[in-house]
């Protein structure tokens, strides 16, 4: 593989399940050493795309190249190059953590000494040494995710596919996993990451594709994606007892500002110029409102995601948490 | 990449995780014992009937042992998605499935020798043609395992696999000449008998144990081999079609 070769190239990928179009004309490439994010809501086509790239599903149309190998007609041709961490922890419940890792290493042809050494190294690196002798079925969710990631990199793959790695685990474990992902990226592994956590994608990824209803609606670097909103000034005000027509009143009184009411007594104020909070607070109190808090918001990828896809990030997160447990 | 490392470890893992578990070992012992007792009582004859019953009991032990286990190992792993780990391994698909079925084949062979060991205490086995008996046991185990694979791939739940496999297994007890000679079956059932792999395996076993066989051994074993290849090929095709969507 030369420096210029794209590590993953997907061109016009499409996949239907009966009448449902899961993936529709998806085209993108991932460069060597890149951490590429695939961001979208539940059912957007993220897992189907990963399955097609890793040989667990066949594309109806389109082409796939992994590490320069054409996998379009031979979906399993590049499996020696890749590691996969699926969206569910699917190791063997009857085996211990150590046995699971050794078994996964054996699937990639590692000799006994090598696989035992690598398993110990990863168990230590992931903070699971004390649980090495326990059956996988007795692990907590966070531990299961960590061991599943360890199993995905046991053979030191050039390319790692991570499908929703932090979904359904506690905040501390999620933070630890993000650190592990960042470390793998720094070590030179090309990573394809699907997530519905926008902050996670923003924090970890170099480039991001937004996928909605099976179609990629935007691909760019995080810097380029955020640029349009970075010039904006945003203030969020928490205010109780607001009259129903408060938005109209605010728009009439502050013509240079854009207002959005967000439910639960929140008002979002946007402007190309710095927003003066004092007059806004006074106005709201004159209207009978009780202002609890007013804070400047750092414009984020979430704003862009909402703008492009029309999907509220909160709704996406709640929907996923309902399906897979909270983070 | 050394594919044999993957092959060996899949086999060892399955043996440890599924086949060498106490419930399965006891199943392998109790089941042939129950069959032997049942037919022994039914025949109403003395110990001299053991040699006539042995081929059928051996064949049934292999058939039920292999098909039951494979339904669990493959269907269960497909259900909890750990089978995806195997599908992601960079080894040839055919080798992967052979590794996955090898444990069941060995389990079937081991089951076959349980009634043989029991019979050794009650009858003289010195006249058995072991050079024919052992290959026949192995071939029946392979064919039954691939039949189990075919069934496991066709369903999505473990209980469905058990139900579906009974659809094949119970008719085979009566149609394949295990305990009732095919010649005595109604004419319209005979073609069905010859469409089932166990018919040829049972014929070899009868020939090896007491000399009463209908077809030449080489023909029986060749047809059994053809069933093995056919069932394996159809199962692989089904996995690629149904599981690699």
């Amino acid at each position: 593989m030369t420096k210029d070769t794209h590590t993953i190239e997907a061109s016009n990928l499409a996949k239907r399940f009966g009448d449902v179009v899961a993936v529709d004309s998806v085209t993108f490439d991932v460069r060597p050493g890149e951490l590429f994010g695939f961001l979208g809501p539940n059912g957007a086509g993220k897992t189907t795309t990963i399955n097609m790239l890793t040989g667990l599903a066949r594309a109806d149309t389109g082409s796939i190249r992994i590490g320069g190998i054409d996998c379009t007609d031979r979906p399993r041709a590049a499996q020696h190059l890749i590691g996969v961490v699926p969206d569910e922890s699917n190791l063997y419940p009857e085996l211990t953590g150590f046995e699971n890792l050794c078994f996964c290493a054996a699937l990639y042809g590692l000799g006994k000494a090598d696989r035992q050494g690598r398993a110990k190294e990863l168990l230590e690196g992931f903070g699971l040494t004390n649980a090495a002798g326990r059956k996988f079925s007795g692990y907590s969710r966070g531990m299961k995710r960590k061991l599943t990631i360890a199993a995905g990199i046991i053979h030191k793959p050039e390319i790692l596919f991570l499908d929703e790695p932090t979904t359904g685990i506690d905040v501390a474990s999620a933070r630890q996993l993000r650190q592990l992902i960042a470390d793998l990226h720094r070590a030179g592994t090309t990573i394809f990451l699907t997530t519905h956590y926008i902050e996670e994608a923003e924090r970890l990824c170099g480039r991001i594709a937004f996928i909605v209803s099976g179609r990629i609606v935007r691909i760019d670097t995080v810097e380029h994606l955020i640029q349009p909103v970075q010039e904006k000034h945003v203030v969020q005000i928490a205010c109780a007892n607001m009259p129903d027509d408060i938005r109209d009143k605010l728009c009439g009184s502050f013509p240079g500002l854009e207002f959005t009411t967000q439910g639960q007594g929140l008002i979002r104020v946007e402007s190309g110029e710095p927003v003066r909070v004092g007059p806004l607070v006074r106005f709201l109190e004159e209207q009978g409102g009780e202002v609890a808090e007013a804070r400047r918001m750092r414009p984020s990828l979430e704003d862009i995601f909402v703008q492009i896809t029309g999907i509220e990030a909160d709704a996406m997160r709640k929907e996923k948490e309902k399906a897979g447990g909270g983070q | 990449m050394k594919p044999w490392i993957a092959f060996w470890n899949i086999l060892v893992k399955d043996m440890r995780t599924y086949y060498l578990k106490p419930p399965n070992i006891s199943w392998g012992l109790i089941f042939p014992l129950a069959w032997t007792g049942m037919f022994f009582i039914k025949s109403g004859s003395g110990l001299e009937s053991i040699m006539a019953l042995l081929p059928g009991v051996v064949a049934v032990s292999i058939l039920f042992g292999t098909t039951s286990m494979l339904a669990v190992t493959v269907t269960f792993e497909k259900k909890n998605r750990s089978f995806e780990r195997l599908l992601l391994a960079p080894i040839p698909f055919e080798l992967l499935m052979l590794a996955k079925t090898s444990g069941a084949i060995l389990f079937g062979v081991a089951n076959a020798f349980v009634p043989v060991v029991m019979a050794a205490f009650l009858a003289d086995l010195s006249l058995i043609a072991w050079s024919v008996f052992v290959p026949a046991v192995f071939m029946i185990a392979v064919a039954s395992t691939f039949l189990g694979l075919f069934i496991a791939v066709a369903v999505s739940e473990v209980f469905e696999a058990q139900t579906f496999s009974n659809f094949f297994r119970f008719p085979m007890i009566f149609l394949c000449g295990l305990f009732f000679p095919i010649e005595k079956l109604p004419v319209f059932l005979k073609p069905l008998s010859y469409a089932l792999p166990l018919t040829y395996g049972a014929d070899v076993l009868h020939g090896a144990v007491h000399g009463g066989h209908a077809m030449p051994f080489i023909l029986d074993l060749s047809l059994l081999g053809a069933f093995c290849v056919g069932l394996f090929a159809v199962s692989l095709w089904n996995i690629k079609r149904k599981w690699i969507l």
Side-chain angles (χ1 to χ4, degrees):
Chain A
M1 193 166 61
T2 65
K3 264 278 182 210
D4 299 331
T5 313
H6 293 303
T7 305
I8 302 170
E9 291 173 80
S11 177
N12 284 314
L13 284 186
K15 181 80 183 167
R16 295 177 76 96
F17 296 101
D19 293 335
V20 179
V21 179
V23 172
D24 187 10
S25 302
V26 162
T27 298
F28 64 89
D29 56 68
V30 181
R31 295 153 199 161
E34 189 174 26
L35 204 167
F36 185 85
F38 217 51
L39 184 67
N42 234 359
K46 303 189 296 289
T47 298
T48 304
T49 305
I50 275 207
N51 285 348
M52 287 191 283
L53 295 172
T54 57
L56 289 177
R58 211 177 286 275
D60 293 338
T61 57
S63 64
I64 297 167
R65 289 180 80 83
I66 305 283
I69 299 169
D70 190 346
C71 301
T72 312
D73 297 320
R74 295 177 304 133
R76 304 179 73 241
Q79 283 181 329
H80 60 289
L81 297 177
I82 65 171
V84 181
V85 178
D87 57 345
E88 278 177 35
S89 301
N90 65 347
L91 290 167
Y92 296 89
E94 286 286 304
L95 300 184
T96 66
F98 180 70
E99 287 168 343
N100 261 303
L101 291 186
C102 287
F103 177 70
C104 291
L107 293 178
Y108 290 86
L110 269 71
K112 191 174 181 181
D114 286 345
R115 54 182 187 258
Q116 288 187 345
R118 181 79 177 131
K120 280 179 190 160
E121 180 190 323
L122 286 171
L123 285 165
E124 199 181 324
F126 282 64
L128 293 170
T129 304
N130 291 336
R134 270 165 49 193
K135 282 189 177 174
F136 183 68
S137 55
Y139 276 29
S140 69
R141 267 192 184 190
M143 288 161 78
K144 280 182 177 171
R145 285 314 280 160
K146 282 189 213 168
L147 197 74
T148 308
I149 294 181
I153 60 170
I154 190 90
H155 57 297
K156 299 182 179 170
E158 290 176 28
I159 306 159
L160 181 63
F161 290 90
L162 289 163
D163 195 1
E164 306 274 5
T166 58
T167 297
I169 60 173
D170 62 86
V171 176
S173 297
R175 188 176 297 161
Q176 208 180 353
L177 281 183
R178 286 190 196 109
Q179 187 55 51
L180 288 166
I181 294 164
D183 291 345
L184 281 170
H185 178 228
R186 263 194 295 279
T189 308
T190 305
I191 299 175
F192 181 93
L193 169 85
T194 77
T195 182
H196 65 279
Y197 294 125
I198 296 171
E199 335 64 87
E200 180 171 281
E202 183 178 353
R203 204 176 306 167
L204 290 172
C205 301
R207 277 193 313 142
I208 292 174
F210 291 158
I211 181 167
V212 180
S213 304
R215 295 185 77 97
I216 289 183
V217 291
R218 182 87 181 264
I219 302 181
D220 215 329
T221 60
V222 173
E223 294 76 42
H224 284 159
L225 286 167
I226 290 182
Q227 206 167 23
V229 287
Q230 264 182 334
E231 285 146 21
K232 274 193 174 176
H233 297 267
V234 180
V235 170
Q236 189 171 273
I237 302 171
C239 181
N241 301 328
M242 288 188 291
D244 292 341
D245 59 347
I246 190 68
R247 187 179 168 276
D248 295 336
K249 286 180 175 169
L250 283 164
C251 289
S253 305
F254 300 92
L257 305 178
E258 285 174 40
F259 296 92
T260 323
T261 47
Q262 297 182 308
Q264 295 174 332
L266 290 177
I267 303 167
R268 184 182 168 90
V269 189
E270 288 183 19
S271 171
E273 303 293 321
V275 178
R276 293 179 59 225
V277 177
L280 283 169
V281 172
R282 274 195 296 278
F283 180 82
L284 286 167
E285 286 178 339
E286 281 165 17
Q287 300 300 316
E290 292 169 26
V291 176
E293 185 187 37
R295 58 176 169 153
R296 292 185 193 284
M297 305 293 287
R298 188 179 71 88
S300 70
L301 191 64
E302 187 171 318
D303 301 304
I304 283 294
F305 182 82
V306 173
Q307 204 178 81
I308 293 173
T309 65
I311 297 168
E312 285 294 339
D314 256 4
M316 189 162 97
R317 195 163 27 233
K318 278 173 190 159
E319 182 190 316
K320 191 76 192 184
E321 278 162 7
K322 214 187 285 175
Q327 190 186 15
Chain B
M1 177 65 204
K2 296 169 186 160
W4 64 266
I5 293 180
F7 180 96
W8 177 249
N9 278 274
I10 292 169
L11 172 60
V12 170
K13 197 267 301 170
D14 279 358
M15 292 302 283
R16 279 187 52 206
T17 315
Y18 303 115
Y19 300 106
L20 296 179
K21 284 280 161 74
N24 293 326
I25 294 172
S26 60
W27 159 267
L29 289 168
I30 291 166
F31 190 73
L33 192 65
W35 277 102
T36 310
M38 194 172 84
F39 282 98
F40 199 58
I41 292 163
K42 177 77 177 66
S43 70
S45 53
L47 289 175
E48 66 274 14
S49 64
I50 282 182
M51 295 306 270
L53 292 176
L54 187 61
V57 175
V58 166
V60 166
S61 300
I62 301 171
L63 178 68
F64 275 72
T66 51
T67 48
S68 304
M69 289 311 296
L70 214 67
V72 176
T73 59
V74 174
T75 316
F76 174 71
E77 288 192 6
K78 172 70 175 69
K79 182 86 182 149
N80 74 8
R81 291 183 62 185
S82 48
F83 199 81
E84 282 178 16
R85 297 231 148 251
L86 306 179
L87 291 175
L88 288 166
I91 56 171
F93 185 54
E94 294 74 14
L95 187 73
L96 164 66
M97 292 316 297
L98 275 178
K100 200 65 198 154
T101 48
S102 295
I105 294 170
L106 293 178
F107 186 71
V109 171
N111 268 12
F113 283 95
V114 174
V116 175
V117 170
M118 290 193 288
F121 292 102
L122 302 167
D124 177 15
L125 304 186
S126 62
L127 293 177
I128 292 179
W130 296 106
S131 59
V132 181
F133 186 88
V134 173
V137 162
F138 179 74
M139 291 296 283
I140 296 170
V142 175
S144 303
T145 298
F146 290 164
L147 177 67
L149 180 65
F150 172 77
I151 292 163
V153 173
V155 300
S156 51
E157 300 284 348
V158 175
F159 74 87
E160 285 176 328
Q162 296 292 3
T163 311
F164 192 35
S165 55
N166 284 338
F167 180 79
F168 288 92
R169 293 188 298 199
F170 283 103
M172 282 164 91
I173 296 171
F174 303 103
L175 294 173
C176 294
L178 305 185
F179 304 104
F180 315 104
I182 293 172
E183 301 82 62
K184 291 186 180 173
L185 288 174
V187 177
F188 68 93
L189 284 177
K190 283 184 184 172
L192 201 55
S193 297
Y194 290 106
L196 297 167
L198 205 57
T199 299
Y200 307 100
D203 194 48
V204 183
L205 291 180
H206 280 297
V209 174
H210 53 76
H213 58 109
M215 286 182 282
F217 290 145
I218 190 73
L219 180 63
D220 277 329
L221 293 174
S222 301
L223 287 167
L224 207 48
F227 270 105
C228 294
V229 172
L231 284 166
F232 191 57
V234 172
S235 300
L236 294 197
W237 181 77
N238 261 339
I239 291 174
K240 283 182 187 166
R241 189 176 60 91
K242 293 178 72 175
W243 294 0
I244 305 172
L245 295 167

